[in-house]
Amino acid sequence: MAVPFRRHRERSEARRLCLLAMTLLGGLLGSSLPAAAQDRAVVEASEPESLAVTVYRDPNRRFGGAMNANWPRGFAMISETRTVTLPPGESRIRFEGVAEGMVAVSAIVTGLPGGTIEKNRNADLLGPAALVDGTLGNRVTITRTNPATGDAESEQAVVRTRADGGLVLQTQDGYEAVRCSGLPERLTFDEVPDGLSARPIFSIDTRDESGGTYTVTLSYLAWGFDWEASYVATMHEGRDSDDVRFDLTSWLTILNDNGQSFADAELMAVAGTLNIVSDLEQLASPPRARPLRITCYPIGSTAAGSPIPVYDDYEMDMMADQAIVVTGSRVARESMAMAPPPPPPPPPAPVVAGEEDLGDLKLYRVPVPVDVNAQGLKQVAFLREEGVEGELVYEGSCLPHMWGDTRTVPAGMVLETVNDADHGLGVALPTGSVTVFERGPGGELLVAEESLRDYASGQDVELQIGSSAQVFVGCNAPGGQDPRERGKAWTRMQAELSNANPFPVSVRLELGAPSQWRFRGVREQVRDGQRFVMVVVPPNGVRRLEWDVAPVIS
């Protein structure tokens, strides 16, 4: 009997030593680890006192591609300045109202004495489903219409189910399913559950031994922005091909697809293409307010189905209340319309964005604070130049493979200028769409719509404005021989250019690639890898040009 007793005593001693070790270890851990996150004081940062929004174009949008207003794939750098008052010790700072497309891993907070311990992004927004889940087991007020009297009656109820199915309440009459009677019903909540907000929240944990009030800056990338440039070129009346004057107006169109507005923000746009390797769309993963799904059992004949509609969103009553408020405001405005209207204010001075260098990129800064509205577009002028000096050049082709072509085709028209101060420009022109008008006795008429690539200061600018109805080009080989089949022999080519305008025109006639063909009898030039010759055609006249061509034999 002694052996079993000794084993029992040994087991008891082992348990005692184990409990003692766990107690000592718990004490050591408790003295070395910081307070639990849930024990940290929660501090609400103030609303942004200053905002800066710098918008970058979609890096995957190619030349000629339009901005996708329904699904913008650009991004923005947002910088907010706020004030926080911290207690001594550790605390959690909540920044409410950040962009829903926020890339949380990019967020940086500066101005805190203790730095950042941990960063968090809230995963659930205030919505019907989150409101019900946060009130589970608590009392709410349900207001229903009495079918006998038609009056609205309210009573207390307890939420007994979550929002992932039919919503069931417990009242003094028992358990009832909401919105299944076919009569109007409305729930009223006394307060918003902790941790829920109607706006996205970003929070950080920090430590400040003494506490105090600080001005901090929160900077982060946000998905769901984009911008593009739009140009309007208006050619003056009474031009000729060598002296074309036009006015050029350019606009920046900024798109914010987020559900948050940025009031009185310093707005900037960056022109150029950045090398982005991160998938910002996946990193953003904006929080969404979950809807409340109401499901009821069929009432009536199972063959005919249920006559009661299925309500999918608990916010229908809220929308109805808002409609009443809007109607009342409209009546007030109509009654005020009887008074004489005040005199119109003077037109504001035009706001034009200024150009700055950002490395090899260009930055356009709006000089005054503007509102970048939620899911809206903002247009700001960045270029207004009058009397830009240009030239209207006609283009045609007479290539060796066209030796047997007997057709006469319209020449293309190109509006050309130089992007420098001598011609009335001299600023960077970011890629975008351009609409060309021509001013005449009957007003301004549309001439062309084209895409404009990026042009740096000092470059030649070309705008394709369609085909001419006055200038035509014909091309053939007078001897009827194919230059491609004559080896090293020279073949005669001929071009005929006609001009029905009352003024002379310059035609840029493309002859072929210098790497494939040799030319004789014309003073050709090289442009974009092609040989060409400039031909001046007299008013209401015809100009014929002949030359010899032979293949380049390696």
Side-chain angles (χ1 to χ4, degrees), residues 179-239:
R179 299 299 291 267
C180 292
S181 64
L183 298 175
E185 298 175 343
R186 182 177 69 252
L187 291 183
T188 304
F189 298 81
D190 295 334
E191 60 183 9
V192 176
D194 293 337
L196 290 181
S197 172
R199 301 188 295 170
I201 292 177
F202 176 74
S203 63
I204 65 168
D205 296 341
T206 187
R207 181 186 298 109
D208 184 15
E209 298 299 335
S210 59
T213 300
Y214 306 96
T215 298
V216 299
T217 300
L218 169 64
S219 301
Y220 59 91
L221 294 177
W223 172 262
F225 291 82
D226 206 351
W227 74 271
E228 67 180 3
S230 302
Y231 299 85
V232 177
T234 305
M235 293 190 294
H236 293 187
E237 184 181 3
R239 61 170 177 80

Side-chain angles (χ1 to χ4, degrees), residues 211-399:
T213 300
Y214 306 96
T215 298
V216 299
T217 300
L218 169 64
S219 301
Y220 59 91
L221 294 177
W223 172 262
F225 291 82
D226 206 351
W227 74 271
E228 67 180 3
S230 302
Y231 299 85
V232 177
T234 305
M235 293 190 294
H236 293 187
E237 184 181 3
R239 61 170 177 80
D240 58 38
S241 61
D242 294 330
D243 185 15
V244 177
R245 302 284 175 168
F246 63 94
D247 303 335
L248 186 63
T249 302
S250 306
W251 297 82
L252 298 178
T253 302
I254 311 292
L255 171 61
N256 172 22
D257 194 48
N258 287 257
Q260 291 72 41
S261 296
F262 303 92
D264 294 331
E266 180 185 9
L267 180 60
M268 294 161 282
V270 175
T273 301
L274 276 69
N275 184 27
I276 304 297
V277 297
S278 300
D279 190 343
L280 299 181
E281 180 180 6
Q282 293 296 326
L283 291 174
S285 60
R288 302 295 182 187
R290 294 181 291 118
L292 177 61
R293 303 298 179 185
I294 302 298
T295 304
C296 300
Y297 290 102
I299 300 176
S301 171
T302 56
S306 171
I308 305 300
V310 177
Y311 298 91
D312 291 331
D313 197 339
Y314 187 72
E315 295 177 318
M316 294 180 64
D317 286 329
M318 298 174 61
M319 295 172 60
D321 292 341
Q322 293 174 359
I324 294 175
V325 174
V326 172
T327 303
S329 299
R330 183 180 61 191
V331 171
R333 287 196 299 269
E334 291 174 352
S335 62
M336 293 175 60
M338 301 300 294
V351 177
V352 180
E355 177 188 305
E356 302 175 15
D357 291 328
L358 182 64
D360 287 343
L361 305 175
K362 291 296 181 180
L363 182 143
Y364 298 93
R365 185 189 304 271
V366 180
V368 297
V370 297
D371 294 339
V372 184
N373 294 323
Q375 297 181 342
L377 294 171
K378 171 71 68 176
Q379 278 197 321
V380 180
F382 75 95
L383 178 64
R384 289 180 178 175
E385 297 292 347
E386 296 181 354
V388 178
E389 180 182 345
E391 181 182 3
L392 187 61
V393 178
Y394 295 82
E395 290 185 328
S397 299
C398 190
L399 306 177

Side-chain angles (χ1 to χ4, degrees), residues 244 246 248 388-391 414-420 423-425 429 455 459-463:
V244 177
F246 63 94
L248 186 63
V388 178
E389 180 182 345
E391 181 182 3
V414 182
L415 179 60
E416 296 183 347
T417 187
V418 180
N419 189 13
D420 58 17
H423 289 76
L425 289 175
L429 303 177
Y455 283 100
Q459 286 187 308
D460 295 337
V461 180
E462 299 180 354
L463 297 177

